[in-house]
Amino acid sequence: MNERSDTILVTGGAGFVGSHTVRLLAGHGFVPVVLDDLSEGHREAVSSAELVEGDLGDESLLDRLFERHRFSAVLHFAGRCYVGESVRDPLRYYRENVAKAVPLLSRVVDAGVRRFVFSSSCGVYGDPRQLPMSEDHPCRPVNPYGHTKLFVERMLQGLENSHGLRWAALRYFNAAGASSDGRLGESHDPETHLIPRTLRAALGREPELTIYGTDYPTPDGTCVRDYVHVEDLARGHLAALQWLAGGQRSGAFNLGTGKGWSVREVVAAAQRVCGRPIPCREGPRRQGDPPELVADASRAERELGWRARHRDLDRTVADAWRWLRNPRYPVSR
């Protein structure tokens, strides 16, 4: 068994946010062990860390992992994260995001792991009653994806009461951008996130960008979202890990910039960055999309000492653009 007290299990660590966090953890002296089935993640994104390729629902694999390592903490990114897909196929989301979390949490409890950082979502809130949204906002998800994230949060609360598991649920808003050095970025197939879809249309890799819904009660009729840079999200996970190590309370924390941008504003920013027009067409709303989501991240600033450093949309888009044009950009699967 690995006896190092700084060994961290990172589920889904080869994905977009997970790989940036693994890189940051390694740079701060931790030893990340990545468990990923590579259905969404990329092996090359975690080339400097131990990668165990496998399914989170494989209980024998989990047993071997926890027998071989004495983990000081678990960072849990693994799961499905597409709102539209969750509406079309809710059972897949309850299976991947909830059912597969149960054997993981069982091993965490049995092994006496005391720190657990969960990649949650602003999707737990549902339609906003006030903006920006704080952690005290009612949690009433409007799609299965949000329901699954909230369900896992509730499990963590129960395990704290029953077994003393200390946890942080990071409710982050729209992950965006890429690493500042262009070495890590976002690659999905199919791609559903707005900024990479917009940039792919600019490069001609997609024929056009579809704007889903232009009749929302927002200034220009399109959805408004808080785009938080992936490097800031990685720092949020490190901050939460350090917070729990200091004996502080468990709880949920929003990670966002506190500023919302509409779909049309994102397109305009992409056109400024790319220096070329982006073909667009208007389509119907997607089921399960709230009109506006903007974070109140003051609790994270006050308690975790975390604040988004990348607050300029053009800079976030420019990082994603640099990554997408990088010759090392992985072929989507």
Side-chain angles (χ1 to χ4, degrees):
M1 174 180 285
N2 189 330
E3 299 293 343
R4 293 188 61 168
S5 62
D6 52 4
T7 304
I8 311 292
L9 175 62
V10 186
T11 72
F16 180 38
V17 182
S19 62
H20 284 79
T21 304
V22 165
R23 185 184 189 190
L24 186 65
L25 289 173
H28 281 75
F30 293 96
V31 182
V33 175
V34 175
L35 172 61
D36 201 299
D37 65 5
L38 300 182
S39 61
E40 294 284 337
H42 299 274
R43 183 183 304 275
E44 59 270 28
V46 288
S47 57
S48 61
E50 178 183 348
L51 171 63
V52 178
E53 184 178 351
D55 191 290
L56 185 63
D58 184 340
E59 298 200 33
S60 62
L61 174 59
L62 288 175
D63 286 337
R64 293 194 298 272
L65 262 177
F66 279 85
E67 287 169 3
R68 190 163 72 246
H69 296 285
R70 179 168 293 171
F71 297 114
S72 62
V74 172
L75 272 61
H76 180 39
F77 294 93
R80 304 295 297 176
C81 63
Y82 305 115
V83 168
E85 181 185 59
S86 79
V87 174
R88 294 189 302 272
D89 191 359
L91 285 178
R92 182 180 190 184
Y93 274 67
Y94 287 109
R95 180 174 61 250
E96 297 291 330
N97 292 3
V98 179
K100 289 186 179 181
V102 174
L104 172 66
L105 288 169
S106 175
R107 271 68 179 179
V108 165
V109 167
D110 290 346
V113 178
R114 288 287 177 256
R115 292 182 290 160
F116 194 98
V117 180
F118 175 50
S119 173
S120 190
S121 166
C122 64
V124 301
Y125 296 123
D127 290 328
R129 291 191 171 187
Q130 71 272 339
L131 291 168
M133 307 167 78
S134 75
E135 293 85 353
D136 297 323
H137 188 285
C139 289
R140 296 176 179 172
V142 295
N143 52 64
Y145 168 66
H147 279 289
T148 62
K149 291 295 188 179
L150 185 59
F151 202 103
V152 174
E153 288 191 19
R154 298 292 185 251
M155 286 198 288
L156 293 173
Q157 291 173 340
L159 290 175
E160 181 178 28
N161 294 335
S162 64
H163 291 83
L165 176 65
R166 302 183 58 260
W167 56 276
L170 302 183
R171 296 172 176 171
Y172 42 85
F173 285 61
N174 284 51
S179 66
S180 301
D181 62 5
R183 294 178 60 192
L184 289 176
E186 184 171 14
S187 177
H188 302 113
D189 185 19
E191 185 57 73
T192 64
H193 294 162
L194 177 61
I195 290 176
R197 282 176 45 232
T198 304
L199 298 177
R200 286 172 64 88
L203 283 171
R205 296 182 185 176
E206 295 185 9
E208 59 190 0
L209 172 72
T210 301
I211 299 175
Y212 294 107
T214 58
D215 59 348
Y216 286 97
T218 59
D220 65 17
T222 64
C223 283
V224 172
R225 296 291 184 265
D226 185 335
Y227 294 93
V228 56
H229 198 285
V230 64
E231 289 186 329
D232 284 329
L233 292 177
R235 289 194 305 103
H237 288 80
L238 177 61
L241 193 61
Q242 294 169 332
W243 166 263
L244 294 175
Q248 307 299 330
R249 68 172 186 85
S250 300
F253 299 90
N254 287 341
L255 298 184
T257 67
K259 164 69 176 175
W261 290 274
S262 73
V263 174
R264 294 195 192 280
E265 287 175 321
V266 170
V267 172
Q271 290 182 153
R272 289 192 298 270
V273 168
C274 301
R276 64 185 73 177
I278 295 172
C280 298
R281 73 174 182 90
E282 296 180 358
R285 294 186 184 189
R286 292 184 301 188
Q287 187 178 357
D289 270 347
E292 189 168 1
L293 296 171
V294 179
D296 174 354
S298 58
R299 177 183 292 179
E301 183 172 3
R302 184 173 63 252
E303 299 187 13
L304 302 184
W306 178 92
R307 184 174 185 270
R309 293 175 180 170
H310 302 270
R311 308 178 73 86
D312 178 72
L313 179 62
D314 284 26
R315 165 68 187 278
T316 298
V317 171
D319 284 345
W321 178 242
R322 183 185 307 110
W323 156 255
L324 199 62
R325 299 175 72 197
N326 189 327
R328 291 178 295 181
Y329 177 77
V331 176
S332 296
R333 310 189 270 281

